[in-house]
Amino acid sequence: MIYLKSLLNVIDNSGAALVECVNVLGKGNKNAGRVGDRIVVVVQALRSAKLMQQSSSANRVQRGDIRHAVIVRTKKEFSRKDGTVIRFDDNACVLVNNQGEPVGTRIMGVVARELSKKYAKITTLAPKVV
Amino acid sequence: MIHPSIRGRILFSASNAQSLLCAFRAGIQQSSRNSVVIQKAGYQIPARSSKGRIKLSPAPSSKIPKGSNAIDLLQNRLKKELDNDGWRQKLFERSSPNALRPGDVVRVHFKPNQDSTTIMGTIMGIRRAGLDTSVRIRTEVARLGVEMSIKVYSTSVRTFEFVSRAAKRARRAKLYYLRPDERK
């Protein structure tokens, strides 16, 4: 359940490390963000410089930037059609641009399988999809 | 004899239907007998004219034998469909000596058309609820903890492969203490 003021880890190499959710897009009032939802975030913390060198300077993100992101993991459990209920140990997102394409070029970590329909590029970049 | 003014307003249950039926019949001797619709359900709709007559279809016959429980029949049928050999039940019933217990490491094999066809992790708990029985499994995927609550009788689960027994018998039924402590 991601909503205003939720902190999320960023698991791509866009430069951001921690972002704060400001708005959940495409949902009504009082509907929290779930895996696969798009959110508006403010960058709160950046990654170390070593990782940032790998991404281009145009894509590099600054602290205080307002960006779009896609939720890829939530600590709040979500259920699948076969009855499986899944929960990750943290909340994580991937920064995207206005067209929905990821800003970074690599993704580090696990993403949920729910993204495969709308954000196929993220699932192909991800090393592990659960 | 029932007074004609209250004849049409009597409501009665099946228990006293028989007695009231006689009274009613006695009461309608004065009116035309063809205009009354009498049913077996235990209540009558008196029709004063042929216009008000309500046509009633007979009650459908029961599809299950009399005295049997529909839910039990359904559960038995589903069990035959989902777990014909009974191996799923044996894995999770308490009395079986080879059953899975909290603390055991198990590998769940899913049907091949999904991204992660195998999940290996520790059983955190077993929720026994007949056909809705589920196992809560905790794994580490890419250094991140993932918990999955998997339905034992789900058709997307191919098999549960026993990997190793817990070193020491878990003194709890639900091992929530395996979760990382957020305070640290």
Side-chain angles (χ1 to χ4, degrees):
Chain A
M1 283 172 62
I2 308 295
Y3 38 72
L4 179 65
K5 297 302 266 181
S6 295
L7 289 174
L8 297 104
N9 296 327
V10 182
I11 61 166
D12 57 13
N13 63 348
S14 59
L18 197 71
V19 295
E20 180 184 305
C21 175
V22 165
N23 191 20
V24 179
L25 299 176
K27 293 202 142 176
N29 192 20
K30 295 186 202 249
N31 282 352
R34 295 200 238 163
V35 170
D37 287 341
R38 201 151 145 183
I39 56 175
V40 182
V41 296
V42 176
V43 178
Q44 299 288 4
L46 297 173
R47 278 195 199 278
S48 64
K50 205 168 64 169
L51 251 142
M52 280 166 67
Q53 281 164 22
Q54 295 175 7
S55 68
S56 66
S57 57
N59 283 342
R60 208 165 291 165
V61 168
Q62 305 299 327
R63 202 167 165 272
D65 268 10
I66 296 178
R67 297 273 181 156
H68 282 204
V70 174
I71 303 170
V72 298
R73 297 196 295 251
T74 50
K75 208 160 176 188
K76 177 68 182 166
E77 62 275 346
F78 54 94
S79 53
R80 298 210 165 130
K81 286 277 160 70
D82 65 346
T84 309
V85 176
I86 306 176
R87 220 186 83 102
F88 295 96
D89 267 5
D90 73 343
N91 299 313
C93 67
V94 166
L95 297 192
V96 293
N97 58 13
N98 288 341
Q99 281 75 46
E101 283 153 34
V103 164
T105 51
R106 268 179 57 213
I107 291 179
M108 296 150 294
V110 204
V111 299
R113 208 194 306 143
E114 271 68 9
L115 298 166
S116 56
K117 270 207 174 131
K118 264 177 82 180
Y119 298 98
K121 199 157 183 201
I122 295 178
T123 48
T124 51
L125 282 172
K128 189 86 181 145
V129 181
V130 163
Chain B
M1 278 229 284
I2 301 171
H3 196 271
S5 64
I6 63 165
R7 198 192 303 146
R9 278 181 247 148
I10 297 170
L11 291 169
F12 41 86
S13 63
S15 55
N16 58 1
Q18 203 59 21
S19 53
L20 284 173
L21 203 75
C22 304
F24 200 102
R25 277 208 179 114
I28 56 145
Q29 271 167 11
Q30 295 151 19
S31 63
S32 150
R33 219 171 257 176
N34 293 333
S35 65
V36 175
V37 175
I38 297 174
Q39 329 152 42
K40 290 178 185 167
Y43 59 94
Q44 302 179 8
I45 304 168
R48 267 171 242 106
S49 68
S50 59
K51 254 192 190 176
R53 195 177 306 175
I54 299 170
K55 287 217 176 104
L56 297 155
S57 48
S61 55
S62 176
K63 294 207 170 99
I64 61 175
K66 190 170 180 179
S68 60
N69 187 351
I71 300 291
D72 286 346
L73 286 178
L74 177 66
Q75 297 277 334
N76 290 336
R77 195 206 297 178
L78 284 174
K79 213 167 199 177
K80 280 204 194 89
E81 268 182 51
L82 299 171
D83 187 23
N84 209 2
D85 311 320
W87 62 267
R88 287 180 211 244
Q89 187 184 350
K90 284 207 180 67
L91 270 180
F92 291 99
E93 65 184 358
R94 278 202 177 90
S95 52
S96 171
N98 295 328
L100 296 173
R101 292 200 290 262
D104 295 350
V105 178
V106 85
R107 187 177 271 128
V108 186
H109 295 267
F110 289 101
K111 287 262 169 70
N113 63 351
Q114 293 169 0
D115 282 294
S116 56
T117 53
T118 302
I119 295 278
M120 181 165 95
T122 320
I123 295 179
M124 273 174 77
I126 300 169
R127 180 185 171 262
R128 292 186 176 83
L131 289 175
D132 296 325
T133 301
S134 65
V135 206
R136 202 180 187 95
I137 292 176
R138 191 177 168 80
T139 51
E140 288 262 315
V141 184
R143 283 177 289 124
L144 183 85
V146 180
E147 278 175 35
M148 296 181 80
S149 192
I150 300 166
K151 295 280 182 215
V152 168
Y153 289 91
S154 165
T155 49
S156 63
V157 169
R158 225 168 6 104
T159 185
F160 290 88
E161 182 197 321
F162 172 76
V163 175
S164 65
R165 185 68 85 193
K168 216 172 160 187
R169 181 187 74 89
R171 303 216 66 178
R172 296 257 165 298
K174 305 287 184 299
L175 315 180
Y176 298 132
Y177 59 78
L178 294 175
R179 289 180 183 152
D181 194 355
E182 306 291 340
R183 289 168 290 174
K184 291 188 187 132

